[in-house]
Amino acid sequence: MPTLTWQKSSYCPEGNSCVHVAAGTAETIHLTESSDPTAAILTAAPATFRTLLRTLKQGSPRG
């Protein structure tokens, strides 16, 4: 895997629990969580990541 340049979420409060995002290639977006001791990395296609962001910005419906 190439060296990734991680960017912390702009919605991250002060503390240890923040989402970090990095572009891997034109086909991959990587996500990790700063308080994850295993340093697990989730990889998604850009279209999938856009859908995630759009859904989060809209908020979840309460039932």
Side-chain angles (χ1 to χ4, degrees):
M1 181 182 294
T3 301
L4 299 173
T5 302
W6 293 98
Q7 178 180 358
K8 183 169 65 169
S9 168
S10 59
Y11 290 97
C12 181
E14 294 297 321
N16 293 332
S17 187
C18 298
V19 172
H20 295 259
V21 179
T25 67
E27 293 85 28
T28 59
I29 303 292
H30 303 285
L31 297 114
T32 191
E33 205 265 316
S34 59
S35 68
D36 178 8
T38 66
I41 297 174
L42 173 68
T43 301
T48 303
F49 184 64
R50 281 191 299 274
T51 300
L52 171 65
L53 291 178
R54 185 171 44 251
T55 301
L56 291 172
K57 287 179 181 180
Q58 291 173 351
S60 60
R62 307 247 180 220

